[in-house]
Amino acid sequence: QVQFVESGGGLVQPGGSLRLSCTASGSSIRVHAMGWYRQAPGMQRDLVASISGTGITNYVDSVKGRFAISRDNAKNTVYLQTNSLKPEDTAVYYCNSNPAWFSWGKGTLVTVSS
């Protein structure tokens, strides 16, 4: 079973940037398509970015051009570079496979506020 630990969140002003990291343990994620998901207060958890095993990326329209997902299979880690952050990006961010087969980690909170 794969377990995820997300990190890198925090409080940032609108227009700022954060780099989120997700390190997996228990098994290699090399063969899995991976995704970053987010859940805002009172909302469902949604996929915002994904990356295939071969590095093909996809994004929801609301983050295109601002977020970039990447992976380092040697480190069993997935990253999400978030730029030009907006208040509506405020959420807890999680990683998992895409689709989400494994248990969820605790996530990392991103708060965008002035």
Side-chain angles (χ1 to χ4, degrees):
Q1 182 65 280
V2 180
Q3 296 178 325
F4 301 107
V5 177
E6 299 93 348
S7 62
L11 173 63
V12 62
Q13 293 186 341
S17 300
L18 288 171
R19 189 192 193 205
L20 309 183
S21 299
C22 169
T23 299
S25 62
S27 182
S28 173
I29 60 171
R30 180 182 303 271
V31 300
H32 296 288
M34 296 296 298
W36 277 96
Y37 303 75
R38 68 184 180 188
Q39 186 169 22
M43 305 293 285
Q44 67 181 20
R45 190 174 301 173
D46 292 322
L47 179 70
V48 296
S50 63
I51 185 167
S52 72
T54 56
I56 297 171
T57 59
N58 279 288
Y59 304 91
V60 295
D61 286 346
S62 59
V63 307
K64 275 182 184 176
R66 300 189 299 122
F67 290 11
I69 187 172
S70 60
R71 65 192 299 163
D72 185 336
N73 288 334
K75 295 183 178 180
N76 228 26
T77 298
V78 182
Y79 303 97
L80 186 68
Q81 178 67 43
T82 66
N83 300 321
S84 301
L85 284 161
K86 304 175 180 180
E88 52 262 44
D89 295 318
T90 294
V92 180
Y93 285 71
Y94 304 85
C95 73
N96 208 316
S97 57
N98 178 32
W101 296 114
F102 304 109
S103 298
W104 295 97
K106 295 182 179 180
T108 186
L109 176 62
V110 172
T111 304
V112 185
S113 175
S114 55

